Amino acid sequence: MFRPRSPAQGEEDFVRNVDSVLRQLSPTDPRDKFALEFRFIQSKVECHVDQWVAFCAASTAKDIVFDFNPGSWGTYWFSFPLKHFRNGSPAIRSLHLMSVDLYPPVVPPDFRGFTNLRELKLDSVLGDIHCLLLPAFSVLEWLSITRCTLHSFSTSQPLGRLRYMCVQYCHMHELEVQAPNLAKFEFASFEVHPVFVLDECLDIQEVTVTVLTEEDVFDYAFAKLPAGGMSYARKLSMRIAIDTQVLQFAGCPSSFINLKHLILTMHVRVRYDSTSGILRLASLLELAPVLEQLELHMECQYSEGVENMWLKEWPLPIQPHDHLKTVHMSGVYGNIDLLNLALHFARCAMVLERMVIGPMVKKNYVMTRDSLEEGQQMAREHLRGKGFDGILTFL
């Protein structure tokens, strides 16, 4: 691996090396892949970038990667000269662009896009990215859009071959996609209530949703998102925040009718005057009638005076669930309602084979020995002797 003595000197050496290698090659010789990855800190290499892209386009490479800031946000965004790609560039199957600028006049009026593009990855791309997508709607199979200037996204025609789609941290307010063969969808946002609709995604297998906000979004996640096309997912991983002061769940006209495996990671804001809002999670069994695996990982933020409070048990109505086999709850510490919730799952699940309860949040922070032992003791005292000792495991 090339390691420069200084960033500026490293850029100069890298540019010279690339130019030297390309001078020894014929741009008209076909090649499978053209990849350029280097973290630039100066903008004076724009003319070299234009030459490299021109060479890449002339070589009719099938897989193309231009990453001008690997692994992080862009320091400079380099204008990507699409003028070198003409007549639909039918040879290109895969295109990865990171830290590039597509603002006018980078996109020429006669640019026709990439007509045979199967895979498109865009990371920290400025400008209108739709020009890269429109011609490829009928053949695109893999799409990832991260940290781009994309406030809304919709398709004028179905993405008939799309199997994977990822949209992350684009400050997006609205997304609507027709993708009848979509198998995996990943979405992450800083927005509180982004709207997205997945039309006709009847065969979707796995959905991952992250909403990075401290505002309670339980209703949004489990009342609005299923109606947006997620109700057919077989596996759902979700990261959200909830507030224990919010007691009511708005309900959902549709449910996760195919969901087998739910992984829910929550930032729980535990209020001093009310902690029972956590019991809204009991509705998950009703929302997912064929659920088999349930994982709940709680990251609890306690207000002063809440930690280790012993509250009166709040019995929840028993609604038998005929499919739930395993329950894993981590972060069960300092709130009796978390244990009430675990007891509720055990009572409702008619075929439950194993329940794992632990005070330490999975893959998060390390508790002190005293806190760990206190959390374990609290769980044992509340859950043992209720008829479920044979399936209980305390971590």
Coordinates of all heavy atoms in Angstrom, one line a residue, residues 77-112:
W77 N -15.0 18.1 -3.5 CA -15.9 17.3 -4.5 C -15.4 17.7 -5.9 O -15.4 18.8 -6.3 CB -17.4 17.8 -4.3 CG -18.0 17.2 -3.0 CD1 -18.7 16.1 -2.9 CD2 -17.9 17.7 -1.7 NE1 -19.1 15.8 -1.7 CE2 -18.6 16.8 -0.9 CE3 -17.3 18.8 -1.1 CZ2 -18.8 17.0 0.5 CZ3 -17.4 19.0 0.2 CH2 -18.1 18.1 1.0
F78 N -15.0 16.7 -6.6 CA -14.5 16.9 -7.9 C -15.5 16.7 -9.0 O -16.3 15.8 -9.0 CB -13.3 15.9 -8.1 CG -12.1 16.1 -7.3 CD1 -12.0 15.6 -6.0 CD2 -11.1 17.0 -7.8 CE1 -10.9 15.8 -5.2 CE2 -10.0 17.2 -7.0 CZ -9.9 16.6 -5.7
S79 N -15.6 17.7 -9.9 CA -16.5 17.6 -11.0 C -16.2 16.4 -11.8 O -15.1 16.2 -12.3 CB -16.4 18.9 -11.9 OG -16.7 20.0 -11.1
F80 N -17.3 15.6 -12.0 CA -17.1 14.4 -12.7 C -17.6 14.6 -14.2 O -18.8 14.8 -14.4 CB -17.9 13.2 -12.1 CG -17.5 11.9 -12.6 CD1 -16.4 11.2 -12.2 CD2 -18.4 11.2 -13.5 CE1 -16.1 10.0 -12.7 CE2 -18.1 10.0 -14.0 CZ -16.9 9.4 -13.6
P81 N -16.6 14.6 -15.1 CA -17.0 15.0 -16.5 C -17.8 13.9 -17.3 O -17.2 13.0 -17.9 CB -15.6 15.2 -17.1 CG -14.7 14.4 -16.4 CD -15.2 14.3 -15.0
L82 N -19.1 13.9 -17.1 CA -19.9 13.0 -17.8 C -19.9 13.1 -19.3 O -20.4 12.3 -20.1 CB -21.3 13.1 -17.3 CG -21.6 12.6 -15.9 CD1 -23.0 13.0 -15.4 CD2 -21.4 11.1 -15.7
K83 N -19.3 14.2 -19.8 CA -19.2 14.5 -21.3 C -18.4 13.4 -22.0 O -18.6 13.2 -23.2 CB -18.5 15.8 -21.5 CG -17.1 15.9 -21.0 CD -16.4 17.2 -21.2 CE -15.0 17.2 -20.7 NZ -14.4 18.6 -20.9
H84 N -17.6 12.6 -21.3 CA -16.8 11.6 -21.9 C -17.6 10.3 -22.1 O -17.1 9.4 -22.8 CB -15.5 11.3 -21.0 CG -14.6 12.4 -20.9 ND1 -14.0 13.0 -22.0 CD2 -14.2 13.1 -19.8 CE1 -13.2 14.0 -21.6 NE2 -13.3 14.1 -20.2
F85 N -18.8 10.2 -21.5 CA -19.6 9.0 -21.7 C -20.7 9.3 -22.7 O -21.6 10.0 -22.3 CB -20.1 8.5 -20.3 CG -19.0 8.2 -19.4 CD1 -18.5 9.1 -18.4 CD2 -18.5 6.9 -19.3 CE1 -17.5 8.8 -17.5 CE2 -17.5 6.6 -18.4 CZ -17.0 7.5 -17.5
R86 N -20.6 8.7 -23.8 CA -21.6 9.1 -24.9 C -22.3 7.8 -25.3 O -21.9 6.7 -25.0 CB -20.8 9.6 -26.1 CG -20.0 10.8 -25.8 CD -20.8 12.0 -25.6 NE -20.0 13.2 -25.4 CZ -20.5 14.5 -25.2 NH1 -21.8 14.6 -25.1 NH2 -19.7 15.5 -25.1
N87 N -23.5 8.1 -25.9 CA -24.3 7.0 -26.6 C -24.7 5.9 -25.6 O -24.8 4.7 -25.9 CB -23.5 6.4 -27.7 CG -23.1 7.5 -28.8 OD1 -24.0 8.3 -29.1 ND2 -21.9 7.4 -29.3
G88 N -24.9 6.3 -24.3 CA -25.4 5.3 -23.4 C -24.4 4.5 -22.7 O -24.7 3.7 -21.8
S89 N -23.1 4.5 -23.2 CA -22.0 3.7 -22.6 C -22.5 2.3 -22.3 O -22.5 1.9 -21.2 CB -21.5 4.4 -21.3 OG -21.1 5.7 -21.5
P90 N -22.9 1.5 -23.3 CA -23.4 0.2 -23.1 C -22.5 -0.8 -22.5 O -23.0 -1.8 -21.9 CB -23.8 -0.2 -24.5 CG -22.9 0.6 -25.4 CD -22.8 1.9 -24.8
A91 N -21.2 -0.5 -22.4 CA -20.3 -1.5 -21.9 C -20.3 -1.5 -20.3 O -20.0 -2.5 -19.7 CB -18.8 -1.2 -22.3
I92 N -20.7 -0.3 -19.7 CA -20.6 -0.2 -18.3 C -21.7 -1.0 -17.6 O -22.9 -0.8 -17.8 CB -20.6 1.3 -17.9 CG1 -19.5 2.1 -18.5 CG2 -20.6 1.5 -16.4 CD1 -19.5 3.5 -18.3
R93 N -21.3 -1.8 -16.6 CA -22.2 -2.6 -15.8 C -22.3 -2.1 -14.4 O -23.3 -2.2 -13.7 CB -21.8 -4.1 -15.8 CG -21.8 -4.7 -17.2 CD -23.2 -4.8 -17.8 NE -23.3 -5.6 -19.0 CZ -23.1 -5.1 -20.2 NH1 -22.8 -3.8 -20.4 NH2 -23.1 -5.9 -21.3
S94 N -21.2 -1.6 -13.9 CA -21.1 -1.2 -12.5 C -20.4 0.2 -12.4 O -19.3 0.4 -13.0 CB -20.3 -2.2 -11.6 OG -20.1 -1.8 -10.3
L95 N -21.0 1.1 -11.6 CA -20.4 2.4 -11.4 C -20.5 2.8 -10.0 O -21.5 2.8 -9.4 CB -21.2 3.4 -12.3 CG -20.8 4.9 -12.2 CD1 -19.3 5.1 -12.7 CD2 -21.7 5.8 -13.0
H96 N -19.3 3.1 -9.4 CA -19.2 3.6 -8.0 C -18.5 5.0 -8.0 O -17.4 5.2 -8.5 CB -18.3 2.7 -7.1 CG -18.9 1.3 -6.9 ND1 -18.5 0.5 -5.9 CD2 -20.0 0.7 -7.5 CE1 -19.2 -0.6 -6.0 NE2 -20.1 -0.5 -7.0
L97 N -19.3 6.0 -7.5 CA -18.7 7.4 -7.5 C -18.8 7.9 -6.1 O -19.9 7.9 -5.4 CB -19.6 8.3 -8.4 CG -19.6 8.0 -9.9 CD1 -20.4 9.0 -10.6 CD2 -18.2 8.0 -10.5
M98 N -17.7 8.4 -5.5 CA -17.7 9.0 -4.2 C -17.0 10.3 -4.2 O -15.9 10.5 -4.8 CB -16.9 8.0 -3.2 CG -17.7 6.8 -2.8 SD -18.1 5.6 -4.1 CE -16.6 4.5 -3.9
S99 N -17.6 11.3 -3.5 CA -17.1 12.7 -3.4 C -16.9 13.3 -4.8 O -15.9 13.8 -5.2 CB -15.7 12.7 -2.7 OG -15.9 12.3 -1.3
V100 N -18.0 13.3 -5.6 CA -18.0 13.9 -6.9 C -19.1 14.9 -7.0 O -20.1 14.9 -6.2 CB -18.1 12.9 -8.0 CG1 -17.0 11.9 -7.9 CG2 -19.4 12.2 -8.1
D101 N -19.0 15.8 -7.9 CA -19.9 16.9 -8.1 C -20.6 16.7 -9.5 O -19.9 16.6 -10.5 CB -19.2 18.2 -8.1 CG -20.0 19.5 -8.3 OD1 -21.2 19.3 -8.6 OD2 -19.5 20.6 -8.1
L102 N -21.9 16.7 -9.5 CA -22.7 16.6 -10.7 C -23.5 17.8 -11.1 O -24.5 17.8 -11.8 CB -23.6 15.4 -10.7 CG -22.9 14.0 -10.5 CD1 -24.0 12.9 -10.5 CD2 -22.0 13.7 -11.7
Y103 N -23.2 18.9 -10.4 CA -23.9 20.2 -10.7 C -23.6 20.6 -12.2 O -22.5 20.4 -12.7 CB -23.6 21.3 -9.7 CG -24.3 21.1 -8.4 CD1 -23.6 21.0 -7.2 CD2 -25.7 21.2 -8.3 CE1 -24.2 20.9 -6.0 CE2 -26.3 21.1 -7.1 CZ -25.6 20.9 -6.0 OH -26.2 20.8 -4.8
P104 N -24.6 21.3 -12.8 CA -24.3 21.9 -14.1 C -23.0 22.8 -14.1 O -22.8 23.5 -13.0 CB -25.5 22.7 -14.5 CG -26.6 22.1 -13.6 CD -25.9 21.6 -12.3
P105 N -22.2 22.8 -15.1 CA -22.4 22.2 -16.5 C -21.8 20.8 -16.6 O -21.5 20.4 -17.7 CB -21.8 23.2 -17.4 CG -20.6 23.8 -16.6 CD -21.1 23.7 -15.2
V106 N -21.6 20.1 -15.5 CA -20.9 18.8 -15.6 C -21.7 17.9 -16.4 O -21.2 17.1 -17.2 CB -20.7 18.3 -14.1 CG1 -20.2 16.8 -14.2 CG2 -19.7 19.1 -13.4
V107 N -23.1 18.0 -16.3 CA -23.9 17.1 -17.1 C -24.3 17.8 -18.4 O -25.0 18.7 -18.4 CB -25.2 16.8 -16.3 CG1 -26.1 15.8 -17.1 CG2 -24.9 16.2 -14.9
P108 N -23.8 17.3 -19.5 CA -24.0 18.0 -20.8 C -25.5 17.7 -21.2 O -26.1 16.7 -20.9 CB -23.0 17.3 -21.7 CG -22.7 16.0 -21.1 CD -22.8 16.2 -19.6
P109 N -26.0 18.6 -22.1 CA -27.4 18.4 -22.5 C -27.7 17.1 -23.2 O -28.8 16.6 -23.2 CB -27.6 19.6 -23.4 CG -26.6 20.6 -23.0 CD -25.4 19.8 -22.6
D110 N -26.7 16.6 -23.9 CA -26.9 15.4 -24.7 C -26.5 14.1 -24.0 O -26.4 13.1 -24.6 CB -26.1 15.5 -26.0 CG -24.6 15.7 -25.8 OD1 -24.2 16.0 -24.7 OD2 -23.8 15.5 -26.8
F111 N -26.3 14.2 -22.7 CA -25.9 13.0 -21.9 C -27.1 12.1 -21.8 O -28.2 12.4 -21.4 CB -25.4 13.4 -20.5 CG -25.1 12.3 -19.6 CD1 -24.0 11.5 -19.9 CD2 -25.9 11.9 -18.5 CE1 -23.7 10.4 -19.1 CE2 -25.6 10.9 -17.7 CZ -24.5 10.1 -18.0
R112 N -26.8 10.8 -22.2 CA -27.9 9.8 -22.3 C -27.9 8.8 -21.2 O -28.7 7.9 -21.2 CB -27.8 9.1 -23.6 CG -28.1 10.0 -24.8 CD -27.9 9.2 -26.1 NE -28.8 8.0 -26.1 CZ -28.7 7.1 -27.1 NH1 -27.8 7.2 -28.1 NH2 -29.5 6.0 -27.1

